[in-house]
Amino acid sequence: MTPFAKTFLVATAVAGIAAPAFAEDISFWGWRVEDVPQYEEFIDTFEAENPDINVNLRMIEAVNYGTILSTALAGEAGPDAMMVRAYGSFESVASGGYLMPLSEENVPALKDFPADALKAETLRADNTVYAIPFASQTMMVLYNKDVFSELGLEPPKTWDDMKAAAEALQEAGLYAFANGTADAWQNEVITFGLGSSTMGKAFYEDVMSGDADFTDPRFVDALARIKDMSQYFPDGFIGLDYASSQQLFATGMAGMFVGGSYEIAAMKGMNPDINIGAIPAPVVNEGDEGLVAVFYDGGYAGNAATEHKDAVLKFLNFLASKEFGQAFANELSNISPIPGVTFDNPDLEAVAELNKTSMPYMMLVNFRFDQPSGSTLVQENVQKMMAGEATPAEVGATVTEGLSKYYEPFQNN
């Protein structure tokens, strides 16, 4: 049992609270199958504070979760409380009217959440928040600290630094990067994990205002540099899948890996001894601002049709509390967006520091609401570029053309 859980159980015992004869049951669904033990502890803690409420947890495999949840909600058989995705995937559930509107009135802690976090769980049609954000993810470059130290290498800051480090890693008989591009979504990770600093915040703002599109030299230059850096990816990386890429980095066969902050816990799960460092995307010139790309990963919502509204709101307020956020960070090694949460884990602390100079993970945050989604366009066309079937300029033009089908600022360019 965690210190967090012990504290509340002891407090409850001291207060002499006894379980009522008839506790109220609420159901809670999510997709984090791998986190069941931790969520069971979180729920134990909540129930110790609220002995009149029982929370029944059901975790469903992530690949099937969205379909099962949507079907259940439409059939009036959905859970009382649930995990929901963010951005476009969130809207597909929230737009059906299935979720309980949340505000500072029924969840006071919302007033302290970062605006970008709340935006991830806000339905654009009515500008209403329907879920409590639970984690942010950071796209960046991971490196093996021990390997770098043994070779006398410093974490690279510029593209030139990164190329020099890659050469040194290869000369030492290692893969410079572990990444492959067989899984399409990895191409989006590579694009913004490696390219954000080259694109820059001004490019992001210009795209959002319509002053630039993806034919802009800043985006095309980032792709060209990424394509050039792929010479240091493993032989046959076009056919290398995600799981194999993880293995190459986790086992120390590669010095760098372009990925998300969620990789740190995953890599340590595969190799507890690996010593991982994290750096922003490389910059073109020394002194330029190094950026990571950030998005919010999901939230906790209540069923608008629940017969246990008060109990669900108590549970949601618990999930919005600083105490829960701290336990979430400590036990699940994730960045909680709840203000005041600190990170005992030095890896998380390092990621939180990187987040201070960030830009949004562009396609997920802004262009996954319509079809073709920006993510699909980037994933498919960068995959072609990496295979030598498209130039960076052609990728930029294709992405712009695809988005212009519904993104009005591009229709005027």
Side-chain angles (χ1 to χ4, degrees), residues 194-218:
L194 264 182
S196 289
S197 300
T198 305
M199 298 174 208
K201 291 178 181 176
F203 167 70
Y204 173 81
E205 292 165 0
D206 287 347
V207 166
M208 300 318 299
S209 68
D211 291 335
D213 59 31
F214 290 92
T215 64
D216 189 281
R218 291 167 288 187

Side-chain angles (χ1 to χ4, degrees), residues 66 70 73 85-98 123 369:
S70 297
L73 289 171
R85 305 287 188 180
Y87 308 109
S89 296
F90 159 77
E91 288 214 337
S92 65
V93 176
S95 61
Y98 302 121
L123 181 63
F369 297 90

Side-chain angles (χ1 to χ4, degrees), residues 9 44 72 82-83 104 188 192 219 250 302 368 373 379 401-402:
L9 288 174
D44 285 346
M82 69 207 86
M83 293 182 187
E104 294 177 15
E188 185 177 5
F192 296 99
F219 183 73
R368 280 199 192 176
S373 79
Q379 291 172 15
E401 181 182 359

Side-chain angles (χ1 to χ4, degrees), residues 355-373:
N355 286 351
K356 292 178 181 178
T357 52
S358 65
M359 60 187 281
Y361 190 48
M362 189 178 294
M363 296 302 178
L364 172 56
V365 171
N366 298 288
F367 297 109
R368 280 199 192 176
F369 297 90
D370 294 287
Q371 296 297 326
S373 79

Side-chain angles (χ1 to χ4, degrees), residues 265-276:
M267 298 293 185
K268 286 185 178 292
M270 289 184 262
N271 177 10
D273 296 328
I274 192 169
N275 193 7
I276 300 174

Side-chain angles (χ1 to χ4, degrees), residues 13 37 77-79 107 130 220 228 266 273 287 311 325 351 358 389 405:
V107 183
Y130 287 97
V220 174
D228 179 57
D273 296 328
V351 173
S358 65
E389 298 171 357
K405 296 182 186 305

Side-chain angles (χ1 to χ4, degrees), residues 213-248:
D213 59 31
F214 290 92
T215 64
D216 189 281
R218 291 167 288 187
F219 183 73
V220 174
D221 181 41
L223 292 187
R225 291 175 184 276
I226 291 166
K227 171 62 176 170
D228 179 57
M229 194 59 67
S230 70
Q231 66 182 292
Y232 301 105
F233 286 19
D235 292 339
F237 72 90
I238 299 296
L240 185 65
D241 64 22
Y242 172 57
S244 300
S245 295
Q246 285 184 304
Q247 286 291 334
L248 288 180

